[in-house]
Amino acid sequence: MSKIPTTTLGANGPVVGVQGLGCMGMSEFYSDQFGDTGESESRATLERALELGVTLFDTADMYGFGRNEELVGPFVQAHRDEVVLATKFAIERREDDPAYRAVRNDAAYVRQAVDASLRRLGVDHIDLYYMHRRNPEVPLAESVGAMAELVAAGKVRHLGLSEVNGDELREAHAIHPITALQSEWSLFSRDVERSAVPAAAELGVAFVPYSPLGRGFLTGSFSNAGELAASDFRNYQPRFTGDNAAHNAALLAPVHKIAAERGATVGQVALAWVHQRAQVHHLSVVPIPGTRKRTRLEENTAATSLILTDAELATLEPIAAQVAGDRYADMSSISK
Ligand SMILES: NC(=O)c1ccc[n+]([C@@H]2O[C@H](COP(=O)([O-])OP(=O)(O)OC[C@H]3O[C@@H](n4cnc5c(N)ncnc54)[C@H](OP(=O)(O)O)[C@@H]3O)[C@@H](O)[C@H]2O)c1
């Protein structure tokens, strides 16, 4: 299999493969649907990704209470110059109090969080450092100002934001250039097209769609979170449970049809749709589908060569507006 194409991550960012790899599920949130592959398969998936030209690897300090950074760290150390390492701060958690969550954007927290991430990752710099969620009580001048100091100190190369709106992106970008905005964007989740996407296109900020496979739902591999382990995070996401799940699974009929006609998988059609947002909205788009398995990684990277026709894109256009149920049970930390 040849390497995937590359793109520049926004106007001022590094060159990366057009598809990245989300590492979150390697440590938390999703149960293993098909046998317990464990961390050794995750490590093999990281290596295989790089062979296939995937260079943007996405983690966060809160995934698995730091364990995801510890898992990814040795891989990054072994390939430091080839890997574009992205991690995030802002969602404070406590392992001894699983219900506790706070969104911290204050400067003191930013400084403490980056040092903790660098320690867990075992590297001396982070290529792309995201603020994972916005706390509107902390001025962006303080949080992005503190992030800019990390760039000056050489701890961080580029800055990113997650789940902010277009106005917040503009304000942050005026404080320090923002390289990438990471938010949910998929056939099922298109809220970002209202304000974040136009602002990113205008400013030359790359878009990194997270959950481009709708947390696996858009592959057709499950049609109700009740099929997954009780501890699986998707049991807490309104769109994957009860009547919403049945309604939403039925919305995938045109995706199944296109997949059959094109000799592709349902997930590949969903990913191709996300990749093609780059042309539709005139910005660089680097989705980061997550998987712990080499076979699925190969399937996902192959989607970079599937180009949907205008007629196919038109068939998929009405889906998002019909999705029932929010992305999260609690949408309070998501900027409108
Ligand atoms: N900024 C944020 O707030 C935020 C929020 C969520 C996620 N993220 C980032 O975005 C990344 C991707 O999002 P995500 O992992 O939530 O969702 P996703 O990429 O839409 O889907 C991941 C799920 O789909 C399954 N999957 C992947 N490829 C598949 C295939 N070809 N066939 C069938 N199933 C497949 C995975 O299971 P297996 O692992 O078993 O293959 C996993 O359960 C995360 O890893 C994380 O780095 C960021």
Side-chain angles (χ1 to χ4, degrees):
M1 203 183 283
S2 57
K3 289 198 175 196
I4 62 172
T6 58
T7 186
T8 304
L9 198 63
N12 62 19
V15 171
V16 293
V18 292
Q19 191 177 110
L21 179 63
C23 301
M24 178 183 83
M26 295 176 179
S27 303
E28 205 188 351
F29 298 113
Y30 305 142
S31 55
D32 198 319
Q33 272 174 269
F34 303 111
D36 183 11
T37 49
E39 289 194 350
S40 65
E41 179 62 16
S42 290
R43 278 189 278 271
T45 301
L46 293 167
E47 296 287 345
R48 183 72 183 127
L50 199 55
E51 285 169 13
L52 292 171
V54 171
T55 56
L56 178 63
F57 291 82
D58 191 82
T59 179
D61 58 1
M62 61 87 88
Y63 298 161
F65 299 94
R67 281 189 285 280
N68 196 236
E69 288 184 330
E70 288 166 356
L71 172 72
V72 170
F75 163 75
V76 178
Q77 292 159 32
H79 305 283
R80 190 66 196 91
D81 296 339
E82 296 158 86
V83 164
V84 176
L85 167 67
T87 191
K88 320 182 191 77
F89 75 93
I91 304 178
E92 188 183 44
R93 299 173 72 193
R94 294 181 185 151
E95 199 157 7
D96 58 0
D97 181 5
Y100 174 86
R101 264 185 199 224
V103 176
R104 295 278 305 272
N105 289 177
D106 54 287
Y109 185 77
V110 175
R111 290 185 205 114
Q112 153 201 328
V114 78
D115 288 339
S117 282
L118 288 170
R119 197 170 50 245
R120 281 189 294 265
L121 288 156
V123 295
D124 64 2
H125 72 275
I126 291 159
D127 298 299
L128 176 57
Y129 199 42
Y130 289 104
M131 186 162 83
H132 208 159
R133 287 289 182 277
R134 170 93 206 282
N135 178 343
E137 285 169 17
V138 180
L140 285 168
E142 176 175 344
S143 48
V144 178
M147 293 169 79
E149 284 171 18
L150 304 181
V151 178
K155 294 181 181 184
V156 164
R157 295 270 155 88
H158 299 279
L159 301 187
L161 301 170
S162 178
E163 290 287 0
V164 297
N165 64 32
D167 290 342
E168 291 166 327
L169 180 61
R170 279 193 195 86
E171 188 184 335
H173 193 73
I175 298 163
H176 187 280
I178 300 298
T179 297
L181 170 59
Q182 177 177 141
S183 293
E184 186 163 353
W185 199 6
S186 72
L187 272 176
F188 264 26
S189 300
R190 297 180 60 179
D191 301 350
V192 290
E193 291 171 31
R194 259 199 316 269
S195 89
V197 167
E202 171 197 315
L203 300 169
V205 173
F207 210 103
V208 175
Y210 79 70
S211 303
L213 290 169
R215 300 184 185 260
F217 195 83
L218 299 175
T219 68
S221 66
F222 71 98
S223 52
N224 188 307
E227 297 162 25
L228 309 171
S231 60
D232 194 294
F233 178 68
R234 291 165 287 196
N235 282 295
Y236 305 97
Q237 295 187 281
R239 57 179 50 177
F240 302 137
T241 56
D243 292 345
N244 286 347
H247 168 89
N248 293 335
L251 295 178
L252 292 179
V255 192
H256 283 275
K257 181 165 179 286
I258 293 170
E261 286 165 359
R262 297 293 299 268
T265 66
V266 178
Q268 285 174 327
V269 173
L271 281 177
W273 182 90
V274 176
H275 280 289
Q276 280 175 253
R277 298 304 93 196
Q279 289 76 47
V280 174
H281 296 276
H282 310 288
L283 80 173
S284 99
V285 176
V286 181
I288 47 167
T291 182
R292 299 161 287 196
K293 302 180 182 74
R294 282 169 289 179
T295 49
R296 287 178 168 182
L297 170 86
E298 287 167 9
E299 177 186 331
N300 297 346
T301 51
T304 60
S305 58
L306 175 66
I307 309 295
L308 302 174
T309 65
D310 289 347
E312 288 166 339
L313 292 174
T315 310
L316 301 176
E317 192 57 28
I319 293 179
Q322 300 171 61
V323 172
D326 276 337
R327 303 191 275 131
Y328 291 98
D330 177 3
M331 293 287 285
S332 62
S333 65
I334 304 291
S335 296
K336 295 269 180 337

